[in-house]
Amino acid sequence: MEPTLPELSVLRRFWPGFEDAGTTHPVLVGGIAIGGALPVIIAGPCAVESYEQTLAVACAVRGAGIGILRGGAFKPRTYPGSFQGLGEEGLEILAQVGRETGLAIVTEVLDPRLVERVAAVADMLQIGSRSMQNTPLLIEAGRSGKPVLLKRGWSATLDEWLGAAEYVAREGNTRIVLCERGIRVPASEGYARAVLDLNVIHAIRTLTPLPVLVDPSHAAGQWERVEPLARAALAASAHGLLIEAVAADTDRAALRSDAEQGIPPDVLERIAGYARPGLPRNSQ
Ligand code: PEP
Ligand code: MN
């Protein structure tokens, strides 16, 4: 694989000080080091749907000992008739919930023209699977200087994913965290939404010092299937997890985005426990 890659500065071979496969380039988000000694969990609703819903999930996130909240104000949806997120109102809700709970905020930016506005609220910019090769967006995110969570396009090769990271890095921003979220295969026969590529974690850790998270939620598509994938990702040495969560007693039928895959607070707490000190982890 390596000989096909051009001279990307995000590769260990071209990144002075990180040539050794045991080293990671940690990315600080709200004072929390992604790529540090312990796995980091980022959790929250798929979409910010209201202040009350966001605060309730944020309290569950904080209650599980997690320090970073995710939630979409701008949602990339397959159909234009679907809920597209609350937009600006969603950003304001995130800012308020962030202030009230002390949680750091991760939220997606879809449009290069909105990077500055989203970066004013977010501690980390999420670039979604559909946007992975939107080069103007990658460049603007790079220019913002904010940490960037770069999800893998669901049909992207590892080379293409690292090439996308390079667009951010070439703007002088190496605060990049990669996130595997499942890839498309011809048939998953109803048991998965996408197939989680756990093999890629070792490949990434070999090739680049950028930390890598795993999002089990968008691969699972159903909340009951999230926990085993989360455990597998940690066992495979991911630097952490990005997970969709709901508050206790959520009426899923009323949710407007990814209603089936958010895990309830008890499962979130259990998963957070897997990431605490004392558990055996591989360094590679
Ligand atoms: C999300 O994180 O809610 C999301 C839309 O994910 P992806 O870009 O991986 O589909
Ligand atoms: Mn989602």
Side-chain angles (χ1 to χ4, degrees):
M1 164 191 353
E2 225 173 332
T4 67
L5 284 165
E7 287 193 22
L8 304 181
S9 65
V10 295
L11 297 178
R12 293 190 180 284
R13 294 193 284 145
F14 303 108
W15 197 334
F18 293 96
E19 295 89 347
D20 186 277
T23 56
T24 307
H25 180 261
V27 175
L28 274 181
V29 177
I32 297 168
I34 303 177
L38 287 174
V40 169
I41 298 185
I42 302 173
C46 177
V48 172
E49 302 200 21
S50 68
Y51 166 75
E52 292 74 16
Q53 166 250 10
T54 307
L55 183 63
V57 184
C59 289
V61 166
R62 205 178 53 177
I66 295 167
I68 312 177
L69 177 72
R70 59 142 283 152
F74 296 96
K75 295 305 302 179
R77 300 304 297 275
T78 304
Y79 303 111
S82 305
F83 174 58
Q84 306 288 309
L86 295 178
E88 175 60 33
E89 187 192 343
L91 287 182
E92 283 164 24
I93 292 171
L94 281 172
Q96 190 177 345
V97 169
R99 276 194 304 273
E100 287 171 3
T101 59
L103 294 168
I105 301 291
V106 180
T107 195
E108 179 160 356
V109 60
L110 280 171
D111 183 333
R113 293 166 299 188
L114 291 179
V115 166
E116 208 177 309
R117 173 61 193 129
V118 176
V121 168
D123 296 287
M124 178 179 229
L125 299 172
Q126 177 173 323
I127 296 196
S129 190
R130 292 163 183 78
S131 302
M132 190 205 83
Q133 286 187 309
N134 181 341
T135 51
L137 180 61
L138 296 168
I139 290 167
E140 281 307 314
R143 287 183 182 159
S144 77
K146 284 270 168 172
V148 174
L149 180 66
L150 181 60
K151 296 187 94 175
R152 181 185 187 177
W154 59 59
S155 296
T157 63
L158 175 53
D159 297 15
E160 289 162 348
W161 193 9
L162 293 173
E166 184 74 8
Y167 275 94
V168 179
R170 292 234 173 150
E171 297 307 316
N173 184 357
T174 54
R175 302 169 79 194
I176 305 165
V177 176
L178 302 169
C179 180
E180 160 65 29
R181 49 78 72 208
I183 51 174
R184 281 285 174 82
V185 295
S188 49
E189 296 158 358
Y191 61 79
R193 186 171 171 188
V195 172
L196 203 55
D197 181 11
L198 293 178
N199 296 38
V200 87
I201 299 168
H202 183 264
I204 288 170
R205 293 187 64 139
T206 306
L207 284 171
T208 171
L210 297 176
V212 56
L213 301 185
V214 168
D215 166 0
S217 305
H218 290 84
Q222 184 71 36
W223 73 265
E224 293 91 338
R225 297 193 288 243
V226 169
E227 187 176 353
L229 295 181
R231 298 190 72 170
L234 293 176
S237 293
H239 293 103
L241 303 166
L242 178 77
I243 304 187
E244 288 189 354
V246 296
D249 305 320
T250 292
D251 173 13
R252 290 183 189 270
L255 289 178
R256 301 169 79 188
S257 178
D258 286 346
E260 300 305 324
Q261 69 194 29
I263 53 170
D266 57 327
V267 180
L268 185 61
E269 265 176 47
R270 233 180 7 246
I271 292 176
Y274 303 141
R276 294 217 173 91
L279 295 168
R281 295 190 75 241
N282 297 328
S283 60
Q284 264 297 296

